[in-house]
Amino acid sequence: MALSLGVDTGGTYTDAVLIRDERDVVASAKALTTRHDLAEGIGAAVSAVLRDGAVRPEEVALASLSTTLATNALVEGQGGRVALILIGFRNGDLEKHGLNGALSGDPALHIAGGHDHAGGEKVALDEDRLRRWLDAHGRDVSGFAIAAQFATRNPAHEQRAAALIQQITGRPVSASHHLSSRLNGPKRAMTAVLNARLIGMIDRLIGRAQSQLAALGITAPLMVVRGDGALISAEFARERPIETILSGPAASIVGARWLTGAQDALVSDIGGTTTDVAVLRNGRPSIDPDGARVGPYRTMVEAVAMRTFGLGGDSEVHFVAEGLAGGITLGPRRILPVSLIARDAPDTVHDALYQQLRRPVPGEHDGRFVRCVGGSSPDALEPRDAALLQRIGDEVHPLGDVLRSRLDVTAMRRLVDRGLVQVAGATPSDASHVLGHVSVWDKGAAEKALRLMGRRRTGAGHMLAPDPKEMALMIIDQLTHETSLALLETGFAEEQDPFGLPAADLARHVLMQRGLRGHEGLVRLNTGLQSPVIGLGASASAYYPAVGQRLGCQMELPTHAGVANAIGAVVGRVTIRKAGTVTCPSEGRFRVHLPEGPQDFNALEAALSLLETELTKRARVEADKAGAVDVRISAQRDVRTTQAEGREIFVEADIVVEVSGRPRIAVN
């Protein structure tokens, strides 16, 4: 009776779940995510689930982790200082392909070398220049990224450069041909840079997580979720941390499939910060054909095709003063719910809310609070930012008490962006407390905060909402509307036959919106979402039934939807894919591109057979390293030909080999 432990670190909560024999959920638990050290939240959630499930630590045979750390780090520009070695590229490629932005001031070295499309050496590798640069600057960075022209056709120069870097500096190296087998050198260089930047950060997280588990008595092997939903060993993730981007959303889709058995559906996962929507087809998540996009960066990493919207339970509620009716919008920024910060500082929050309610005129910052983030390092701050941070100190304050000028407002925004302070205010989570949908934090504080927001005056001079429940209903209705738009936008974007307009415009089109309300005049309109929707997230049961009603679709809210990411982290399979190419440099000659260099054959089938054999061998080795057992192997060939003068002429062939198996478990 094997027990598996799944852990997911989200923006607000860290979830843990215990599953027996990949069939039954034994227990689940949540703990607040500790942003200054994610391992603390992991330890708290795991301790709680072991206690709730009455499970001894030594009974756990497998542990698996999905995390937003890599994704958030790239979005926020965090990570180690790295150097990029570009072999055979022009100086202008840095600017042209956005590599300068990804480097953010980190050094780059252009040296001669590289190969041509057929894998032949174009120019000899300039080893002397590389050695001189490494002797002078090699120890100024934490790691290196290497990209050589046409390295996927012949990686010899990347391999030689990597060996020199290891020999001279001892620093970790990310070679682009290890991360992708596809062409597009600048994009591979981008992927290698981001991978190199993440190595130290993911290594520390995995090390801290393993230490926390060991301290609790769990000695089972640790797996990590990849961006396409597959599992990899912790050691594998340490070498290729870039593959863990979008790990959390990928885990949610795997969890949705396991919980429902659905083959075709939209999967919508609402968290505290974002709503992630993806498509499940034939029981598998759609993979982004262009590679995972994170913030401004497009990588060559295989990841789930995911549309992310700045809409969650902790989205900031904004008052809209324009127009006679007034109104509200949500997000995209996440803030602390008032009901949550009141739990940590009840006297301060309730006293301030009471005083604000006694004033005859609403204030600009009513119902909003601020506090510093524990464990943060405030280095190199501007004088005004440093003074404001010192003014806040270690206490919770009403926001209006610390902002003394408009310049302070700008400084506060910078401190929030750097993660040094947190602002609290009205959110959908507070609205849910007022309506009685949830009761985990301070309902009284939520009611006061929504009463304050409802006192704001519209363009017609009327109160926005005189009653907290009316204000709460307005917030939830806006969340329902914006979630519906997110699902419609995803549906239009994934339609097989395009409509000729941007998906966001189609979702908001007057015909679509009138059709949702069943317009009947001279024209009858009836629109909706045909696909069923699987709603995930701790708050899905509170928000999503109304979304299903509005869209006229089947809305499935599975049991354990609140910990679907943690479930997906542990029920996935280890999957390794390897791809290779056969080209035709001249008629009757078929070239196989291998890591050891190109090999030529006179017969196409002989070339294809060798490539498939080599890919299978390498995929099996990596699958074993990634922790797979009981593997299954499949291969797909894509042979492209053309017609010329009545003859079929071979152009190029790609082979993809997939090795998939169950994760290796500890035997107790």
Side-chain angles (χ1 to χ4, degrees):
M1 301 288 280
L3 269 175
S4 300
L5 169 69
V7 180
D8 172 69
T9 61
T12 304
Y13 283 110
T14 294
D15 301 332
V17 65
L18 286 167
I19 293 178
R20 192 181 303 279
D21 294 332
E22 299 184 9
R23 288 195 302 269
D24 303 313
V25 176
V26 175
S28 63
K30 290 178 176 289
L32 286 171
T33 294
T34 46
R35 287 174 174 256
H36 61 282
D37 182 358
L38 294 178
E40 288 184 16
I42 291 171
V46 172
S47 296
V49 81
L50 291 174
R51 183 181 62 250
D52 294 350
V55 168
R56 299 190 311 276
E58 59 270 21
E59 293 181 74
V60 176
L62 174 72
S64 187
L65 172 69
S66 73
T67 175
T68 59
L69 179 63
T71 308
N72 293 344
L74 297 185
V75 170
E76 296 165 11
Q78 299 173 356
R81 178 176 167 82
V82 301
L84 171 61
I85 311 299
L86 282 170
I87 303 171
F89 291 98
R90 297 182 297 272
N91 289 336
D93 288 331
L94 276 176
E95 189 64 45
K96 182 179 176 183
H97 297 279
L99 284 165
N100 268 339
L103 284 167
S104 300
D106 289 358
L109 173 69
H110 292 261
I111 60 174
H115 293 77
D116 59 26
H117 182 272
E121 185 176 77
K122 194 174 178 181
V123 180
L125 178 66
D126 191 346
E127 293 189 22
D128 289 341
R129 188 176 181 204
L130 178 58
R131 286 178 185 275
R132 289 195 302 273
W133 193 90
L134 291 173
D135 287 336
H137 307 290
R139 288 171 178 80
D140 298 338
V141 296
S142 63
F144 291 83
I146 306 174
Q149 198 169 38
F150 287 108
T152 54
R153 295 295 165 86
N154 190 335
H157 287 181
E158 283 195 7
Q159 292 168 340
R160 178 57 183 157
L164 286 172
I165 292 169
Q166 285 277 314
Q167 175 188 329
I168 295 170
T169 72
R171 299 283 196 268
V173 181
S174 296
S176 76
H177 75 278
H178 284 156
L179 301 171
S180 176
S181 62
R182 290 183 287 168
L183 297 176
N184 193 329
K187 200 170 170 183
R188 277 188 289 106
M190 173 84 74
T191 306
V193 165
L194 299 179
N195 189 73
R197 181 163 289 151
L198 291 169
I199 284 176
M201 188 177 293
I202 293 294
D203 182 69
R204 286 190 296 274
L205 170 64
I206 290 174
R208 289 281 293 118
Q210 288 175 323
S211 296
Q212 285 278 359
L213 295 178
L216 293 170
I218 296 173
T219 58
L222 179 65
M223 310 293 288
V224 180
V225 181
R226 207 166 57 188
D228 62 355
L231 302 182
I232 51 177
S233 67
E235 289 68 32
F236 198 90
R238 279 182 154 119
E239 294 176 9
R240 301 188 191 178
I242 190 70
E243 296 195 6
T244 69
I245 59 174
L246 300 181
S247 162
S252 73
I253 301 174
V254 175
R257 171 78 173 86
W258 187 84
L259 287 167
T260 65
Q263 291 293 310
D264 300 282
L266 287 176
V267 179
S268 185
D269 184 4
I270 181 169
T273 310
T274 62
T275 292
D276 300 316
V277 187
V279 179
L280 196 61
R281 285 196 176 105
N282 298 318
R284 302 186 71 169
S286 297
I287 301 298
D288 192 333
D290 297 322
R293 176 184 285 280
V294 180
Y297 308 123
R298 174 70 78 176
T299 71
M300 296 191 86
V301 175
E302 280 194 356
V304 169
M306 181 75 61
R307 297 179 83 85
T308 298
F309 303 86
L311 180 68
D314 299 343
S315 290
E316 184 175 9
V317 181
H318 302 275
F319 171 65
V320 179
E322 292 79 10
L324 293 177
I328 57 170
T329 60
L330 302 178
R333 187 184 294 274
R334 173 189 181 269
I335 60 174
L336 283 174
V338 173
S339 51
L340 174 57
I341 202 168
R343 192 190 67 168
D344 299 335
D347 293 341
T348 299
V349 172
H350 279 279
D351 288 349
L353 292 171
Y354 178 71
Q355 293 300 325
Q356 291 166 4
L357 283 167
R358 293 187 62 189
R359 296 172 188 158
V361 179
E364 181 183 1
H365 303 298
D366 282 359
R368 296 168 68 79
F369 298 85
V370 64
R371 73 177 180 192
C372 288
V373 176
S376 54
S377 53
D379 299 326
L381 291 179
E382 295 183 21
R384 181 173 292 276
D385 298 11
L388 183 58
L389 191 65
Q390 187 175 13
R391 196 182 307 156
I392 297 169
D394 298 326
E395 304 296 326
V396 172
H397 300 272
L399 185 60
D401 288 1
V402 298
L403 297 179
R404 298 173 182 172
S405 70
R406 288 293 173 188
L407 292 175
D408 280 348
V409 173
T410 306
M412 179 67 72
R413 191 175 299 120
R414 287 193 295 265
L415 292 174
V416 170
D417 289 342
R418 289 195 58 177
L420 298 175
V421 303
Q422 291 176 312
V423 172
T427 67
S429 294
D430 294 305
S432 291
H433 278 79
V434 170
L435 296 174
H437 296 161
V438 292
S439 57
V440 292
W441 300 326
D442 191 326
K443 178 180 178 180
E447 287 178 336
K448 290 186 179 77
L450 264 59
R451 187 180 295 278
L452 283 165
M453 172 159 275
R455 295 173 69 198
R456 306 290 288 270
R457 296 285 174 174
T458 67
H462 304 305
M463 289 178 63
L464 182 63
D467 179 75
K469 286 191 176 179
E470 187 179 335
M471 188 70 242
L473 287 169
M474 186 182 295
I475 294 171
I476 298 301
D477 189 61
Q478 184 66 23
L479 181 71
T480 300
H481 173 66
E482 295 189 26
T483 303
S484 300
L485 290 177
L487 288 166
L488 288 171
E489 183 177 328
T490 304
F492 278 120
E494 296 292 333
E495 280 284 0
Q496 301 295 328
D497 298 320
F499 283 77
L501 288 173
D505 294 351
L506 289 165
R508 292 160 176 80
H509 198 284
V510 62
L511 294 177
M512 186 73 218
Q513 293 300 314
R514 290 283 186 91
L516 289 176
R517 296 193 293 269
H519 173 82
E520 289 186 358
L522 294 176
V523 174
R524 183 175 67 252
L525 296 173
N526 192 348
T527 59
L529 195 62
Q530 177 67 18
S531 171
V533 175
I534 302 171
L536 303 179
S539 58
S541 59
Y543 303 137
Y544 278 10
V547 174
Q549 265 189 326
R550 180 165 298 195
L551 295 176
C553 67
Q554 176 188 339
M555 178 63 69
E556 187 162 358
L557 301 170
T559 307
H560 306 300
V563 291
N565 289 35
I567 290 172
V570 79
V571 299
R573 293 176 65 83
V574 178
T575 303
I576 297 294
R577 297 181 192 88
K578 287 292 176 184
T581 303
V582 175
T583 59
C584 185
S586 61
E587 189 171 359
R589 191 152 57 109
F590 305 98
R591 178 164 292 174
V592 181
H593 297 276
L594 298 170
E596 301 78 23
Q599 288 189 33
D600 289 347
F601 292 83
N602 295 324
L604 174 60
E605 184 54 40
L608 293 172
S609 295
L610 175 75
L611 178 59
E612 186 171 324
T613 299
E614 288 297 316
L615 292 175
T616 301
K617 188 187 306 179
R618 284 159 47 206
R620 290 199 70 147
V621 169
E622 285 201 11
D624 182 67
K625 186 178 178 182
V629 295
D630 299 334
V631 299
R632 294 199 303 260
I633 302 171
S634 63
Q636 288 185 326
R637 294 184 178 186
D638 178 16
V639 180
R640 296 182 290 284
T641 60
T642 188
Q643 293 289 329
E645 299 179 353
R647 291 189 307 141
E648 187 176 53
I649 297 176
F650 173 79
V651 177
E652 196 170 277
D654 292 321
I655 297 179
V656 178
V657 172
E658 180 177 289
V659 176
S660 178
R662 295 185 298 101
R664 187 180 294 116
I665 64 173
V667 178
N668 295 322

